[in-house]
Amino acid sequence: MDGDVAVGVKRGSDELNMYGSSPNSMTANGSDSKKQRLDESPPSRVLHIRKLPNEVSETEVIALGLPFGKVTNILMLKGKNQAFLELGTEEAAITMVNYYTAVTPQVRNTPVFIQYSNHKELKTDSALNQRAQAVLQAVSAVQDGSSPSSDPGVLDLAPPPSPVLRIIIDNMFYPVTLDVLQQIFSKFGTVMKIITFTKNNQFQALLQFSDPVNAQQAKLSLDGQNIYNSCCTLRIDFSKLVSLNVKYNNDKSRDYTRPDLPAGDGDSANKDHSSLLGAISPLSAAAAAAAAAGRVALSGSGVSGVLLASNLNDEMVTPQSLFTLFGVYGDVQRVKILYNKKDSALIQLSDGNQAQLAMSHLNGQKVFGKVMRVTLSKHQTVALPREGLDDQLLTKDFSGSPLHRFKKPGSKNFQNIFPPSATLHLSNVPEGVTEEDLRLLFSNNGGTVKAFKFFQKDHKMALIQMSSVEEAIQGLIDLHNYDMGGNHHLKVSFSKSTI
């Protein structure tokens, strides 16, 4: 192994000196002192990775690059906790660097630092770099679908036994749904079927790819990764099954090749709207974040919980209306409408996951007649004005609000997060309130009610369909938490069903 280091130091000495490890670069991508130097290196398909944990293996470094394309070479500098990774194309390297600028790259839960190298390709001395080359050969063989020509003795990469993976999730502090798994694993190939179940009090899933090679790649890249920052750890093995038999398409099981399957027993369909009318691909919390960022693991670290909303209707918008709308996707702590630019506002949510979720669902939606733009803000928090200075009431602190939907870990609200839609789900409807009353309430604010349906057994819940998504957004802003009398406050959220 000393040989690796010697080769690495000789070839990479210009870089190793240039990026001496300074104490203020402890955070991963993003420390300011590094930013300037980072921009100086033009894009290259060779990436320089620093701050790796001591015992890191070649496989773990290669796994950082795998989702972005073919990894063609690697050089480990063990003594310096660094590595060089060469990708097949410059485009793949650019995608990887851009992705890890937004999402802190982690190896063994340690943030690492990735940047373009000055080298355009890696010339490694194969005799000294044998182990790494063997690993690479094995990994490329998996990517190409052949079996490695020589036994590397490093990775157990016999031909993959099955296209079906068994997935166990440890430390499940956030709910993980079937859609989350589909979003994460489909980065590696076509996901055909998923079955989820609980066994020994643990959430487990069986997931079938169209090809065993994809299953092997997913296992190689994702085993041991966290879905969320520091929780929901994936443990992945090959299943003994080679094919799954899915009977129903709902929120527990799905056969993506057979959209015609029934949703299962009618009984569960009335319990809550997460299973009403089967599952029409609900984008759950994490899945939406995954879709937005196209990421492998959805670590919310490195992303602030503050959003900037712009192109707002400055005559209509209030901190309260933004609290209610963004509150569908996370617990809004503070809202500040900008004093000099009243068509823009900062919205602070509890964490980066919630912020990404709200951004992915609300950017581009029409609110008060204007298309709203939502981006991540560079601010870490929203500052409150000093006493008596906010005479226009542009800033509001909602941190103690009783209306937060996601305060309770594991709350059912986590499973009922859907994109804005024309159909709203109403709950907490008081006894004696009729369809007519609710139709009138929702058309009073200028909307047109197209359809209405009470849940069969329970008139406390209903679906109401407006004539457009914009009208439904307006209805939710105006009427969520509306006092229906007798201390009954109407609860409004977006539904994934149509009537």
Side-chain angles (χ1 to χ4, degrees):
M1 286 312 295
D2 294 344
D4 282 24
V5 176
V7 174
V9 172
K10 207 161 57 216
R11 302 229 183 266
S13 55
D14 52 341
E15 281 176 71
L16 298 177
N17 298 338
M18 183 172 157
Y19 304 109
S21 64
S22 63
N24 61 357
S25 59
M26 286 308 283
T27 56
N29 288 357
S31 103
D32 291 323
S33 69
K34 293 283 171 284
K35 274 248 168 74
Q36 259 139 0
R37 300 175 202 176
L38 182 67
D39 297 339
E40 284 168 16
S41 288
S44 155
R45 65 193 183 101
V46 180
L47 299 175
H48 183 201
I49 303 170
R50 299 183 299 121
K51 305 254 180 247
L52 287 164
N54 282 338
E55 299 307 311
V56 71
S57 70
E58 283 87 349
T59 318
E60 289 168 291
V61 176
I62 291 170
L64 284 171
L66 264 190
F68 303 94
K70 199 168 166 64
V71 175
T72 49
N73 208 343
I74 179 171
L75 173 66
M76 302 286 283
L77 312 182
K78 284 277 166 71
K80 295 204 179 293
N81 299 71
Q82 302 186 5
F84 291 96
L85 195 66
E86 179 186 278
L87 279 84
T89 64
E90 199 171 284
E91 288 74 37
I94 292 171
T95 307
M96 178 169 162
V97 168
N98 289 348
Y99 169 73
Y100 284 129
T101 307
V103 179
T104 307
Q106 296 199 338
V107 175
R108 300 197 180 186
N109 283 333
T110 310
V112 299
F113 197 98
I114 299 179
Q115 63 213 29
Y116 298 118
S117 161
N118 294 342
H119 300 293
K120 286 298 173 205
E121 59 174 324
L122 273 185
K123 296 185 180 64
T124 48
D125 182 327
S126 55
L128 296 171
N129 205 21
Q130 241 167 355
R131 179 189 152 90
Q133 292 305 313
V135 175
L136 250 183
Q137 190 185 351
V139 173
S140 326
V142 174
Q143 280 190 307
D144 299 339
S146 60
S147 60
S149 51
S150 62
D151 173 19
V154 184
L155 274 178
D156 176 19
L157 281 177
S162 159
V164 180
L165 295 174
R166 188 187 60 146
I167 301 155
I168 295 176
I169 299 192
D170 285 342
N171 312 323
M172 193 159 137
F173 305 137
Y174 266 106
V176 172
T177 64
L178 181 143
D179 295 278
V180 175
L181 295 174
Q182 195 266 340
Q183 289 282 353
I184 294 170
F185 281 81
S186 58
K187 205 162 174 61
F188 297 89
T190 305
V191 173
M192 294 174 74
K193 303 170 189 176
I194 306 180
I195 297 172
T196 62
F197 52 95
T198 303
K199 188 174 171 186
N200 309 334
N201 284 336
Q202 266 190 318
F203 179 84
Q204 302 197 13
L206 293 168
L207 182 144
Q208 181 178 342
F209 278 102
S210 56
D211 187 321
V213 168
N214 303 133
Q216 183 142 16
Q217 270 183 273
K219 179 178 182 296
L220 200 68
S221 278
L222 295 176
D223 187 28
Q225 296 269 2
N226 293 333
I227 297 181
Y228 290 106
N229 191 27
S230 67
C231 76
C232 303
T233 310
L234 292 163
R235 304 271 172 241
I236 304 171
D237 282 306
F238 285 107
S239 167
K240 294 188 173 55
L241 300 169
V242 290
S243 181
L244 298 178
N245 179 21
V246 175
K247 294 189 179 68
Y248 302 116
N249 279 342
N250 53 34
D251 43 8
K252 302 273 186 292
S253 62
R254 193 81 52 85
D255 184 338
Y256 294 94
T257 63
R258 296 199 49 204
D260 54 315
L261 287 176
D265 54 349
D267 186 26
S268 68
N270 301 325
K271 284 189 189 142
D272 72 69
H273 76 294
S274 75
S275 51
L276 186 75
L277 299 182
I280 314 162
S281 172
L283 261 178
S284 72
R295 56 223 268 178
V296 187
L298 314 176
S299 133
S301 70
V303 175
S304 95
V306 181
L307 296 172
L308 172 66
S310 54
N311 200 39
L312 301 169
N313 180 332
D314 54 8
E315 290 175 10
M316 303 284 288
V317 75
T318 60
Q320 183 66 49
S321 62
L322 293 171
F323 167 77
T324 304
L325 179 57
F326 282 77
V328 172
Y329 301 107
D331 291 339
V332 175
Q333 304 298 317
R334 293 176 180 176
V335 178
K336 181 196 253 347
I337 293 173
L338 302 184
Y339 184 81
N340 296 329
K341 200 173 184 326
K342 294 199 173 59
D343 68 347
S344 300
L346 293 171
I347 298 114
Q348 181 181 339
L349 289 104
S350 292
D351 60 39
N353 287 323
Q354 293 184 356
Q356 291 214 299
L357 186 58
M359 175 173 75
S360 67
H361 281 324
L362 293 175
N363 181 37
Q365 295 290 350
K366 245 180 156 182
V367 182
F368 299 123
K370 294 184 73 175
V371 175
M372 175 171 71
R373 292 277 158 247
V374 183
T375 55
L376 289 170
S377 164
K378 58 181 187 298
H379 294 279
Q380 294 300 312
T381 57
V382 169
L384 292 175
R386 290 205 295 281
E387 282 294 304
L389 284 186
D390 185 19
D391 51 2
Q392 296 184 18
L393 304 179
L394 296 176
T395 305
K396 192 150 186 207
D397 185 1
F398 293 98
S399 54
S401 169
L403 298 181
H404 286 153
R405 296 181 191 237
F406 306 104
K407 263 205 300 256
K408 283 208 234 41
S411 150
K412 204 165 66 191
N413 291 338
F414 280 103
Q415 288 142 43
N416 295 328
I417 296 177
F418 304 112
S421 61
T423 307
L424 296 169
H425 177 268
L426 314 181
S427 59
N428 212 25
V429 177
E431 236 175 286
V433 168
T434 63
E435 172 175 339
E436 203 40 54
D437 296 331
L438 289 165
R439 278 176 174 267
L440 193 63
L441 186 61
F442 277 82
S443 48
N444 266 352
N445 67 348
T448 308
V449 176
K450 297 283 270 232
F452 182 93
K453 180 173 141 194
F454 270 120
F455 280 59
Q456 287 152 359
K457 294 179 184 165
D458 182 2
H459 276 209
K460 287 196 186 109
M461 294 203 280
L463 293 176
I464 189 163
Q465 189 173 338
M466 308 304 289
S467 66
S468 67
V469 176
E470 187 186 355
E471 279 188 12
I473 288 175
Q474 189 64 54
L476 181 137
I477 288 174
D478 291 346
L479 297 169
H480 176 60
N481 203 44
Y482 180 81
D483 189 350
M484 306 280 296
N487 209 15
H488 280 275
H489 289 265
L490 187 65
K491 299 277 171 274
V492 184
S493 54
F494 297 114
S495 170
K496 66 164 185 282
S497 312
T498 47
I499 303 172

